[in-house]
Amino acid sequence: MGLTISRLAASAEVHIETVRYYQRRGLLPEPPRPQGGIRRYGASEVARLQFIRPAQAMGFTLDEIAGLLEVRGKRACEQTRKLTEHKLADVRQRIVELQQLEQDLASLVVECGRASEDAECPTLSLLGCAKGAAGKTIPVGARKPGLRKAHD
C-alpha cells in the first residue's frame, strides 16, 4: 500500500498530529524511515486507526483501547467482555448523574423564571457568584460536582 502519513491520516479521517500522538502513546507503530526517504504505512495501520475511532466513540479511553488492541486468542471475548461490562457500568453511572443534573437545571430554570428582577439570581447564587452589598463577589463555598439547590 505504502501510504504517507498524510494519506494515512486522511484515510482514517484524522489529523496527522493525531497519528503522531497515537504513535507516541504506542497505539500505532511507527515504521522505520528509509535512508533519505519517508515512512510508509500499510493496511494494518489504516485498520488500527479505523478501530480506534469507534472505540473512542463508545467511551473507551486510549489506555483501554491499547489493551483491546493487544487482546488475542481464545480468551479474547472473555477479556473484552469484562472491559465492556466495566464501561457499561460507567456509562450507567454517568446517565444517573446526567439525569440528576437535568433535574437540577430544570429546577433552576423554574426558579429563575419566578425570581423578581431585584432578587439574586438563583443560578448565580448556586454557582457562588452572588454579589454582596458592596458589589463584591461572595464565594458560596466548595461544591460537589453537579448542581444542588442553594437552599438544600
Side-chain angles (χ1 to χ4, degrees), residues 58-131:
M58 291 180 74
F60 289 103
T61 66
L62 291 180
D63 288 337
E64 292 167 335
I65 292 168
L68 288 170
L69 286 166
E70 298 302 318
V71 173
R72 289 181 180 38
K74 294 180 181 177
R75 302 193 69 197
C77 202
E78 181 182 337
Q79 292 171 333
T80 58
R81 180 183 51 79
K82 287 178 182 177
L83 182 59
T84 304
E85 285 174 346
H86 180 72
K87 187 56 59 186
L88 179 59
D90 289 347
V91 167
R92 287 179 173 157
Q93 180 59 41
R94 284 193 314 220
I95 288 170
V96 168
E97 291 167 0
L98 286 171
Q99 288 171 332
Q100 181 61 53
L101 179 59
E102 177 187 33
Q103 292 171 5
D104 293 344
L105 291 170
S107 294
L108 283 173
V109 167
V110 170
E111 288 182 42
C112 284
R114 291 182 183 157
S116 64
E117 286 191 28
D118 59 337
E120 287 185 14
C121 172
T123 301
L124 293 178
S125 294
L126 177 73
L127 296 174
C129 296
K131 299 286 183 179

